[in-house]
Amino acid sequence: MNAILIHQIIWRRIIGNLLFTLPFSVLIQWFTGLIQRTGITALPLGIRIIIDVFGVLCVALATSIYQRANLILHPNDDFMQIIRFRYLKGNATIAQMVHYIPPVIIMVITFLISGQLWAVNVGTAICLFFQGTFIGYFDKHVFLNLKHYGLDTIQRD
């Protein structure tokens, strides 16, 4: 999808996306197990929401930094960056929401088929509505000398 959106196949970008995905998936699996062992899921809802917001802020900060460095991106973050700079004039808030449209459609379809909704909670809603705003904020307030690199391949032809 990313290659279609930028109207070209860039093998370095595709291979980088794929290389990023494997260790990232392993890290997420490890981190999920760690969270399950800590008992966080048994905490009161208010505390879990605070932890969710803190986690989303940390992810947004990390995403802001590594998207600006633009060495190797996760395909989803690359997708968001393409939408942001090619189609939405750099607006991180709207780009993040648009970037979530395909997974939301998939969640709705699977819910309609199965009647069950998995892995969707308060943190998901916070990400959907605020993560792009947080990324945009961190772009302007953290490591100001770090600019978005490599945008020439994703900006309009």
Side-chain angles (χ1 to χ4, degrees):
M1 179 55 96
N2 293 345
I4 290 169
L5 288 174
I6 61 172
H7 304 249
Q8 57 183 318
I9 294 175
I10 302 171
W11 287 108
R12 181 189 178 283
R13 182 183 214 109
I14 293 169
I15 292 167
N17 286 169
L18 293 172
L19 288 175
F20 188 101
T21 303
L22 179 64
F24 181 78
S25 299
V26 171
L27 180 64
I28 292 299
Q29 184 65 36
W30 175 82
F31 197 67
T32 300
L34 179 66
I35 287 173
Q36 290 170 341
R37 287 189 300 276
T38 64
I40 288 175
T41 57
L43 292 173
L45 181 61
I47 302 288
R48 289 188 319 211
I49 290 173
I50 291 168
I51 292 169
D52 275 348
V53 171
F54 178 72
V56 171
L57 284 168
C58 289
V59 169
L61 173 61
T63 301
S64 166
I65 292 167
Y66 103 104
Q67 277 187 336
R68 283 184 281 159
N70 198 12
L71 298 173
I72 296 176
L73 298 178
H74 185 284
N76 256 351
D77 295 325
D78 198 18
F79 182 58
M80 183 269 204
Q81 183 144 299
I82 291 166
I83 293 167
R84 178 180 180 184
F85 289 104
R86 187 172 180 94
Y87 301 101
L88 297 173
K89 299 177 183 154
N91 188 320
T93 302
I94 302 299
Q96 190 71 23
M97 288 181 188
V98 169
H99 145 270
Y100 277 123
I101 290 172
V104 168
I105 290 170
I106 292 168
M107 288 187 319
V108 168
I109 291 169
T110 57
F111 175 75
L112 293 173
I113 293 169
S114 71
Q116 296 180 336
L117 192 59
W118 294 93
V120 177
N121 213 318
V122 174
T124 308
I126 293 167
C127 285
L128 177 62
F129 294 108
F130 301 108
Q131 189 174 24
T133 301
F134 297 154
I135 291 169
Y137 175 84
F138 290 130
D139 282 355
K140 294 176 182 156
H141 295 92
V142 176
F143 298 121
L144 300 180
N145 59 335
L146 187 58
K147 305 296 180 200
H148 283 277
Y149 295 99
L151 295 181
D152 53 322
T153 60
I154 64 173
Q155 290 177 327
R156 290 196 163 236
D157 302 326

